[in-house]
Amino acid sequence: MENIIQGLPDSPIVTFTILILVSLTIPPIFEKLKLPGLVGLLVAGVVLGTNGFQLLNPDSETMKLFADIGKIYLMFVAGLEIDLEEFRRKKDRSLGFGLATFILPLLTGTGVGLLFGFGLNAAILTGSLLASHTLLGYPIVNRLGVVKNEAVTVTIGATIFTDIAALLVLAICISIYGGEFSAATLIIQLGALALYSTIVLVGLDWAGKEYFRRTGDEEGNQFLFILLAVFLASVGAQFINIDKIVGAFLTGLAVNDVLGHSPVEEKVEFVGSTLFIPFFFIQMGLLIDVPAFISSLTTELPLTLAIVGGLIGSKFLAAFAAKLLYNYNWNEALTMWSLSLPQVAATLAAALVGVNAGLLSQEVFNSVIVLMLVTSILGSVLTARFARDLTIPKADLEPQTEEWTLGIEPLEPSEIQQSDGKFTVCKLKHRFTVLVPIYNPLSQRYLIEMGALLARHESGIIVPVSITQAHVHMDEPQLGIALEQSDKLLERAVEVAKEFKVEAKPKVRIDDDIAEGISRTAREQNANLIVMGWSDSTTSLRARLFGSLVDNVFWSSHCPVAMVKLLDEPINIRRILVPVKNITPEAIRTLRFAQMFADTNQAKIALLHVCDRGTPPEQITKFESEMADVLTQGGPQVQARIKTVAYDDVSKVIVRAAQSFDLVVLRSMRRRTAGGLGVSNVTSEVIKQLTCSIVLFGEPHT
């Protein structure tokens, strides 16, 4: 083994190859062990570093470069993922809780530092490491559908305050440590920070909006603009003697509104989460001195216990104060506590800065590693336990008086009429419109049938559309052939629509992108719904990197999209299964679609709710009662029943239950990842195993 290691060339390419291999293989292994993937990256760093196989050198220029980029990227993404809109909604309470969950841990950490003989500056910096938090549990509350619960919203908003404040304390402590302390230098440093922050937050926000407005769909240049902004702000931070991670985080906040939930944001996050952020965590593992780490858990165990215990206790006190101040119940308070526990991104990055500057000792760094491991696991487990019992205010659910046509308000068409030389604009009554893209003759009939059934139910029309791809030259012979094929497809679609006595308005569109052509036609026709065929190409390499056609339509459409995989004619579907995890607006609109389709065939609906084995019976009864109210107070009145199963494997229950049904209606999410449409792991697993017809229902981002 040593001969093989010694035979490897000392080249940055070798280092880069090893880093990619570790990033690809290690996190999935640890996630299967129910441990965070980043823990695996830290362990890999230890194994491959100076205390292990010595394949990676933490002092090499290559590793330093990758680690710096990863650290900058990590803090940039942390700022980018903060939901500013949610923060604005509850900014007063978010600031209140943010102040509590910042000051109490700061004071606790400072006290621990002074107790163990640290200088005042080092003690305050230690306290600032405990003051921030990483929203490691956000995917959990998002999956449970309780993100709009006020306690969750307030905790998310508090992240902005705690992260900025902690990073500013870090910047001040480092600058004081690097020079002589005086009131004048402190005032100058604070003034420079305020000016710099204003330039970054205001200037980059304005510049980003202007650049994106002028460049339109040039995603490549927009991606480069964001990268330039991040690293330019990081360089600027160093000019005023603060760490570059402060600039990266502020840039994330600055371009938050610019990027929104756009494809450019996905590309930015994809590059960071795939390459550079994993490299940073591997570097963190390389820096862990194993003998010193073991020593800190033995000889320095009191310091480690004090830091970990102080963090857990102070975060609980902050959540308890919010409970008393804002009249939250215990589930809400404990969820706030568990969400604010994990110390990962800002804490690790700041700790590394403190160690590199010589302000923090290796023992503190090792204690921070233990803190990260304990809080990341404990926070995730507790969030999953407490957040499942949260409720969403009725005001945030679908109003009982709302029209149940999938929750979309179409634009009212208008026409211009002339009378006595004057022109007036008259609004026309909008008819329910179903857009049906057709491109596969084998599945075309079933798609048109489903669209026709839904349109007839609403006394509406269908718009069969065939997208012909072309780029620059409109006189290409291939384009003429493609247009002829589109005409034939549309002729057959009109014939099928006539069988169901539904008006059809066929459209041919020439576009350089099929997905955008579908979405733009839907917008032009004021479509209420898009019904399109199932795509089996989502596992291809191109689909994994850029998303499939269906993914892109889901992402860009203004109205709901039903991706259907029909194994029989829609008129033969009589039994429909709808899995429901939580009562959220998105789940209700998915149910409304199922009700509407069931009413076209006089079909029966079964709602399947899979809960944890330990769910109390009274909670199950309450859920079924609320679900029954949703069924009876909106949408077509179809025969429906509710079934609750307590079992740990959700996908297994759904697949088994589906064997007795003709169709399963599943919900997708608007969020998109580098691998395509964002669906839960349960949905992905269920789709692979189902042997009946499927509808994956998605809705526009609101």
Side-chain angles (χ1 to χ4, degrees), residues 124 179 189 675:
I124 293 175
Q189 184 67 57

Side-chain angles (χ1 to χ4, degrees), residues 112 118 126 130 302-312 364 367-368 371:
V112 169
F118 296 178
T126 302
L130 310 186
L303 172 63
T304 303
L305 292 178
I307 289 178
V308 174
L311 180 279
I312 294 174
V364 174
S367 297
V368 169
L371 177 72

Side-chain angles (χ1 to χ4, degrees), residues 422-437:
K422 295 181 180 180
F423 294 92
T424 57
V425 178
C426 302
K427 290 184 177 180
L428 303 176
K429 184 178 180 181
H430 176 78
R431 299 175 67 185
F432 188 90
T433 303
V434 180
L435 186 84
V436 185

Side-chain angles (χ1 to χ4, degrees), residues 150-417:
E150 183 179 304
V152 176
T153 301
V154 166
T155 307
I156 294 172
T159 307
I160 299 178
F161 178 85
T162 59
D163 284 4
I164 291 178
L167 289 175
L168 291 182
V169 171
L170 167 71
I172 294 171
C173 289
I174 296 296
S175 64
I176 291 175
Y177 180 74
E180 295 183 0
F181 174 75
S182 68
T185 57
L186 180 60
I187 293 173
I188 293 173
Q189 184 67 57
L190 289 176
L193 275 173
L195 179 61
Y196 169 79
S197 301
T198 303
I199 292 174
V200 172
L201 291 173
V202 178
L204 286 183
D205 179 58
W206 173 83
K209 289 177 179 177
E210 280 296 308
Y211 187 83
F212 273 55
R213 181 179 63 83
R214 293 174 183 273
T215 54
D217 294 332
E218 297 177 13
E219 294 180 7
N221 287 339
Q222 291 171 354
F223 174 81
L224 291 176
F225 174 85
I226 295 300
L227 285 188
L228 176 62
V230 174
F231 289 97
L232 191 61
S234 299
V235 172
Q238 294 176 302
F239 270 105
I240 60 170
N241 297 320
I242 63 175
D243 195 82
K244 46 188 168 289
I245 63 175
V246 178
F249 182 79
L250 292 176
T251 305
L253 292 177
V255 301
N256 202 308
D257 283 334
V258 178
L259 288 178
H261 296 282
S262 67
V264 178
E265 181 197 33
E266 297 167 22
K267 291 178 174 62
V268 170
E269 293 191 353
F270 171 67
V271 171
S273 61
T274 304
L275 289 177
F276 299 114
I277 293 176
F279 293 176
F280 168 70
F281 283 110
I282 295 172
Q283 166 77 353
M284 296 289 289
L286 294 176
L287 295 175
I288 296 176
D289 186 339
V290 174
F293 186 77
I294 296 174
S295 175
S296 68
L297 294 180
T298 54
T299 58
E300 300 294 335
L301 183 61
L303 172 63
T304 303
L305 292 178
I307 289 178
V308 174
L311 180 279
I312 294 174
S314 59
K315 291 292 185 181
F316 176 81
L317 288 177
F320 182 70
K323 175 186 183 300
L324 297 179
L325 188 61
Y326 303 133
N327 295 319
Y328 293 144
N329 59 43
W330 272 111
N331 275 330
E332 292 171 329
L334 292 174
T335 300
M336 296 174 75
W337 173 51
S338 63
L339 282 173
S340 60
L341 272 181
Q343 305 293 301
V344 182
T347 305
L348 279 177
L352 185 59
V353 171
V355 172
N356 290 338
L359 187 54
L360 296 180
S361 65
Q362 185 67 38
E363 288 74 22
V364 174
F365 181 74
N366 292 335
S367 297
V368 169
I369 297 296
V370 176
L371 177 72
M372 185 212 70
L373 295 176
V374 172
T375 58
S376 62
I377 295 172
L378 184 63
S380 299
V381 171
L382 293 178
T383 299
R385 167 62 185 86
F386 298 126
R388 70 184 184 189
D389 296 328
L390 294 179
T391 58
I392 300 177
K394 293 293 184 182
D396 288 330
L397 294 176
E398 182 184 48
Q400 302 298 336
T401 58
E402 183 185 87
E403 290 293 328
W404 55 270
T405 51
L406 311 177
I408 299 299
E409 291 293 334
L411 294 177
E412 293 184 357
S414 59
E415 66 176 8
I416 299 177
Q417 296 181 350

